[in-house]
């Protein structure tokens, strides 16, 4: 931001404060006029000098052109190439999703080959009679690696990698989300790719020189990916971008487009990567392509995509953040902000945006935010926790190999993409009630709640189908039914944004990213541990647990209420009144967060130990 823009933003902030002062003066003037009239009716004052008398308020009423526009209307007068739109983000996001989906299998195969080579080398050193069979990197027959010891070591390694990436992402996601409110969405979107690129450079090193590569170095790649937020931050900030330039009634469709691109990329990526490896005979080429895609993503966002958050809104968010920091007292004057944040760091502190207190909030707002976040986290956690289990279970029960598993994933993802890109926009266009003429956020409407319940019900029904399906076709049908529930994720995220002020959108979705990161750690370890412990006796146990978890989420949706939202007008009026320095409602929440954080951290540690013990 240059000096001119900063000056303009400061002037705009002063203008907003002056307008609030005028509004309060006008209200006081009208009350005084009512008392002075002593019950005598007079024509209303229209704001002109000719119509003024002694009963007129001191300041004229606020003009229509002085009212603040919603964020999605601020850029309406700009040319199309400078006007923020989700279609500036969707194409590069789709390419990144394809690369993300395409690299999963090659990276897993590379890890398997590296760990297999290490195991064979160690076995040869401890057992002189053991004959080592060379590992063929980049493809080929490696039947010597299909032994329980190697499979267990691979499961442990990937679990530790996911654990490290998930925990680091849980720490950084809320911070990056809050920073996007103050410095814009583009910078954080670009930053989210930096760690992935650095991690892929390590993977390229491993794929180029596998014979001499220390496999534990790949853990560093997981850590770098987690530090910059991984795909969780990219998804959250993309949704924040969509929130800035999309009216509330269309946000579920915009979020659905991003989820549709994600699942389409996950479906197409492995096919494209498979053909590339087959044609070139080199697995490392896939990692080079992924790195190139992320570099293209960074360049496209930096030089072509318009910023969705205006300079004015960025400055307002920075001003509010500075005011919150000054409330810390003398400490804020002595120590830098990052030192203060580090000393008082609490992993769960960003979740306070889901429990607003003070003027403008209400118990109904807090209940809705809590329930929506809980249902969204459950949906994401179950999806992450069941991803690998479904493939392993199908191989065990039906003897599915790569072809059958690929066909299953294609059918399921096709149904999910159809629901997100075709069914959801049509339902929103022709079934949703007409929006409020004021254009203000009014919380969830009945369409949102019914759509969420419908989606969670189909997810529950699909996982019940997984439990009872004893043949491959019925198992595939259950997957298609569960795929319809994919419309829940964008609708839940859109509903969350309708309960907070616009300047807290990034902070809210960053908190959602924190919950997703924790779910990414806890859910796979718990459900994989359940499957490992019960597969010998009743292999469907894990699907009973998954279906029960969805049933819990379905029950929670019936406690949500419509037309519940944060009242910004009441909050603004209260902010202009003298504050009682002896009482800060938010402190009560902050004092309870360390306790909640300790409980959740302990649960995550126990879940991780249980999963690792089962894997070994």
């Amino acid at each position: 931001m240059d000096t001119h823009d900063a000056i303009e933003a400061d002037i705009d902030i002063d203008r907003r404060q002056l307008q609030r002062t005028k509004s309060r003066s006008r209200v006081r003037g009208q009350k005084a006029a009512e008392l002075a009239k002593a019950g005598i009716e007079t024509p209303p004052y229209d704001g002109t000098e000719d119509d003024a008398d002694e009963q007129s308020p001191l300041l004229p009423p606020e003009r229509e052109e002085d009212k603040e526009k919603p964020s999605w209307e601020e850029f309406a007068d700009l040319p199309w190439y400078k006007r923020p739109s989700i279609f500036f983000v969707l194409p590069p996001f789709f390419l990144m999703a394809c690369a993300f989906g395409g690299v999963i299998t090659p990276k897993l195969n590379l890890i398997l080959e590296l760990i297999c080579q290490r195991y064979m080398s160690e076995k040869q050193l401890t057992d002189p009679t053991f004959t080592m069979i060379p590992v063929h990197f980049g493809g080929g027959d490696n039947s010597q690696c299909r032994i329980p010891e190697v499979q267990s070591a691979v499961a442990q390694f990937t679990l530790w990698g996911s654990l490290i990436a998930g925990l680091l992402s849980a720490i950084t996601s809320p911070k990056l989300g809050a920073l996007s409110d103050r410095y814009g969405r583009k910078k954080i979107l670009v930053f989210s790719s930096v760690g992935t690129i650095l991690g892929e450079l390590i993977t390229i090193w491993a794929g180029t020189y596998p014979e001499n590569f220390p496999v534990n170095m790949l853990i560093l790649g997981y850590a770098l990916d987690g530090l910059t937020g991984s795909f969780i931050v990219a998804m959250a900030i993309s949704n924040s971008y969509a929130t800035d330039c999309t009216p509330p009634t269309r946000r579920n469709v915009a979020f659905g487009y991003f989820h549709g691109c994600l699942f389409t990329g996950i479906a197409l990526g492995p096919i494209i990567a498979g053909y590339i490896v087959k044609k070139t005979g080199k697995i490392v080429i896939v990692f080079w392509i992924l790195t190139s895609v992320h570099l293209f993503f960074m360049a496209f966002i930096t030089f072509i995509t318009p910023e969705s958050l205006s300079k004015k809104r960025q400055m307002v968010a920075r001003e509010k953040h500075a005011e919150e920091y000054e409330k810390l007292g003398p400490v804020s004057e002595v120590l830098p902000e990052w030192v203060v944040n580090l000393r008082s760091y609490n992993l769960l502190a960003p979740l306070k945006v889901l429990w607003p207190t003070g003027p403008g909030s209400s118990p109904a707002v807090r209940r809705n935010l809590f329930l929506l976040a809980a249902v969204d986290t459950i949906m994401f956690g179950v999806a992450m926790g069941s991803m690998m289990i479904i493939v392993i279970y199908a191989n065990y029960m039906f003897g599915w190999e790569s072809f059958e598993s690929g066909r299953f994933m294609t059918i399921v993802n096709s149904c999910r993409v159809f629901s997100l890109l075709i069914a959801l926009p049509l339902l929103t266009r022709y079934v949703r009630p007409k929006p409020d003429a004021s254009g203000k956020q009014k919380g969830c409407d009945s369409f949102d709640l019914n759509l969420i319940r419908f989606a969670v019900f189909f997810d529950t029904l699909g996982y019940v189908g997984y439990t009872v399906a004893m043949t491959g076709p019925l198992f595939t049908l259950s997957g298609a039914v569960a795929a319809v529930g994919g419309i829940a994720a964008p609708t839940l995220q859109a509903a969350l944004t309708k309960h907070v002020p616009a300047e807290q959108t990034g902070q809210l979705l960053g908190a959602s990213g924190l919950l997703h990161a924790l779910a990414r750690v806890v859910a796979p370890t718990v459900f994989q541990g359940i499957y490992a412990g019960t597969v010998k006796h009743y292999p469907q146990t894990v699907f009973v647990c998954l279906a029960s978890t969805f049933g819990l989420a379905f029950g929670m949706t019936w406690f949500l209420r419509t037309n519940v939202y944060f009242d910004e007008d009441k909050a603004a009026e209260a902010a202009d009144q003298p504050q009682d320095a002896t009482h800060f409602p938010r402190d009560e929440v902050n004092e309870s967060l360390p306790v909640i954080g300790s409980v959740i951290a302990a649960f995550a540690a126990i879940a991780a130990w249980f999963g690792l013990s089962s894997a070994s």
Side-chain angles (χ1 to χ4, degrees):
M1 180 183 297
D2 55 27
T3 305
H4 178 71
D5 289 337
I7 292 173
E8 287 188 349
D10 289 337
I11 293 173
D12 188 79
I13 291 172
D14 293 339
R15 181 179 63 80
R16 287 158 57 91
Q17 293 175 344
L18 179 60
Q19 287 175 0
R20 288 198 295 267
T21 304
K22 287 181 178 180
S23 178
R24 294 196 302 272
S25 299
R26 184 172 67 253
V27 171
R28 288 195 295 267
Q30 289 172 348
K31 289 182 179 178
E34 291 294 330
L35 293 173
K37 287 189 293 184
I40 302 175
E41 296 294 331
T42 59
Y45 176 55
D46 62 3
T48 60
E49 294 182 2
D50 295 337
D51 199 32
D53 57 22
E54 63 273 12
Q55 284 85 30
S56 303
L58 299 177
L59 294 174
E62 187 178 9
R63 296 177 300 175
E64 190 68 27
E65 58 268 22
D66 289 336
K67 293 183 178 179
E68 184 179 0
K69 293 182 179 179
S71 59
W72 55 90
E73 294 181 1
E74 287 182 329
F75 302 96
D77 298 332
L78 296 177
W80 68 268
Y81 56 88
K82 291 184 178 180
R83 194 182 310 137
S85 169
I86 61 171
F87 298 105
F88 279 107
V89 181
L90 281 172
F93 184 84
F94 172 71
L95 290 177
M96 190 170 67
C98 287
F100 174 75
V103 80
I104 294 174
T105 302
K107 191 168 186 177
L108 188 59
N109 289 335
L110 178 61
I111 292 172
L112 174 64
E113 292 163 355
L114 289 169
I115 290 178
C116 181
Q117 177 185 248
R118 184 177 67 178
Y119 173 81
M120 295 297 174
S121 300
E122 293 174 353
K123 183 74 171 177
Q124 189 178 36
L125 291 175
T126 57
D127 185 2
T129 62
F130 177 77
T131 302
M132 178 177 175
I133 302 175
V135 176
H136 300 283
F137 289 96
D141 183 20
N142 287 314
S143 57
Q144 73 276 20
C145 299
R146 299 189 186 100
I147 56 177
E149 292 82 1
V150 173
Q151 297 294 315
S152 176
V154 172
Q156 251 186 319
F157 185 89
T158 55
L159 196 56
W160 274 114
S162 298
L163 186 67
I164 291 171
L167 288 176
L168 290 175
S169 180
I171 294 171
T172 58
S173 294
K175 300 296 182 184
L176 293 174
L179 283 173
S180 74
D181 287 333
R182 305 199 296 270
Y183 297 98
R185 315 298 185 197
K186 290 176 55 174
K187 297 181 180 69
I188 308 302
L189 269 177
V190 170
F191 179 73
S192 67
S193 290
V194 173
T196 304
I197 291 174
L198 294 176
E200 289 311 313
L201 290 176
I202 296 175
T203 309
I204 290 170
W205 175 22
T208 307
Y209 306 103
E211 292 82 5
N212 303 316
F213 181 81
V215 66
N216 289 336
M217 276 292 293
L218 289 175
I219 294 293
L220 178 60
Y222 281 103
L224 291 170
D225 189 36
L227 279 173
T228 56
S230 187
F231 74 94
I232 291 177
V233 163
M235 194 75 187
I237 303 302
S238 297
N239 286 342
S240 299
Y241 188 100
T243 300
D244 296 335
C245 54
T246 308
T249 55
R250 297 284 298 172
R251 283 179 192 166
N252 62 332
V253 176
F255 290 5
Y257 286 154
F258 282 105
H259 282 80
C261 285
L262 177 63
F263 289 112
T264 304
I266 292 175
L268 293 179
I271 299 173
I272 298 172
Y275 277 114
I276 291 173
V277 173
K278 186 177 181 180
K279 290 291 184 182
T280 62
K282 296 180 179 180
I283 196 173
V284 73
I285 194 70
V286 176
F287 307 125
W288 278 113
I289 291 174
L290 174 63
T291 305
S292 301
V293 167
H294 276 279
L295 289 172
F296 171 79
F297 177 84
M298 295 173 66
F300 192 97
I301 296 297
T302 301
F303 299 110
I304 297 179
T305 303
E307 175 59 61
S308 64
L309 204 61
S310 64
K311 302 291 185 182
K312 174 184 67 176
R313 292 186 181 275
Q314 293 179 35
M315 291 299 295
V316 169
R318 292 183 203 178
E319 182 186 49
K320 290 185 177 180
H321 175 73
E323 291 174 357
E324 291 291 330
Y325 181 64
E326 289 174 359
K327 290 180 182 178
L328 296 175
V331 177
S332 62
E333 300 175 2
V334 178
L335 298 175
E337 183 177 353
W338 68 271
V339 176
V340 176
N341 290 337
L342 189 62
R343 290 179 60 187
S344 60
Y345 183 73
N346 175 18
L347 178 63
L348 275 295
L351 298 184
K352 67 183 179 182
V353 72
L354 299 173
W355 198 262
T357 57
S361 64
S362 66
V365 172
R366 291 189 284 273
R367 182 180 62 248
N368 267 23
L369 280 170
F370 174 81
L371 290 173
L372 286 169
V375 173
D376 180 54
T377 304
I378 289 173
M379 301 286 285
F380 181 85
V382 171
M384 292 296 296
S386 63
M387 192 180 300
M388 293 300 297
I389 293 173
I390 289 173
V391 177
I392 298 170
Y393 174 84
N395 175 267
Y396 175 74
M397 289 293 295
F398 312 122
W400 284 1
E401 299 296 338
S402 297
F403 174 77
E404 290 82 5
S405 297
R407 181 177 60 187
F408 170 81
M409 295 301 293
T410 300
I411 293 173
V412 170
N413 282 310
S414 297
C415 293
R416 183 176 282 111
V417 170
F418 174 84
S419 301
L420 289 167
L421 299 185
I422 298 177
L424 181 59
L426 289 177
L427 285 171
T428 303
R429 182 178 181 87
Y430 295 108
V431 179
R432 179 188 284 279
K434 292 183 178 180
D436 186 5
S438 66
K440 292 185 177 181
Q441 296 186 167
K442 298 294 184 181
C444 295
D445 54 26
S446 58
F447 177 82
D448 290 326
L449 295 191
N450 289 329
L451 196 61
I452 291 170
R453 291 164 184 160
F454 171 83
V456 178
F457 174 76
F458 266 79
D459 255 321
T460 307
L461 191 63
Y463 277 78
V464 170
Y466 284 145
T467 306
V468 301
M470 293 292 109
T471 63
L474 286 178
F475 194 80
T476 303
L477 178 62
S478 300
V481 171
V484 177
I487 61 178
T491 308
L492 284 163
Q493 294 276 303
L496 278 168
T497 64
K498 297 178 182 180
H499 288 76
V500 298
E503 63 269 14
Q504 291 184 350
T505 300
Q507 185 180 353
L508 172 71
L509 294 177
S512 178
L514 165 61
L515 293 174
H516 285 182
L518 292 174
R520 179 186 176 187
V521 173
V522 174
T525 54
V526 170
F527 291 121
Q528 286 177 20
I530 291 173
Y531 179 72
T534 61
V535 66
K536 291 182 180 180
H537 308 289
Y538 184 60
Q540 291 83 15
T541 302
V542 66
F543 291 113
V544 174
C545 296
L546 290 166
S548 301
T549 307
F550 270 126
L552 173 64
F554 181 68
M556 294 170 69
T557 62
W558 292 95
F559 292 93
L560 294 168
R561 294 293 178 264
T562 59
N563 301 319
V564 173
Y565 60 96
F566 187 89
D567 195 329
E568 297 185 60
D569 294 333
K570 287 184 179 179
E573 291 176 5
D576 294 329
Q577 299 297 326
Q579 299 293 323
D580 182 4
T582 63
H583 179 65
F584 295 98
R586 288 187 179 182
D587 291 346
E588 300 171 4
V589 181
N590 290 337
E591 288 171 4
S592 64
L593 282 172
V595 179
I596 300 173
S598 300
V599 173
I600 294 182
F603 176 72
I606 293 170
W609 173 83
F610 179 67
L612 289 169
S613 300
S614 301
S616 59

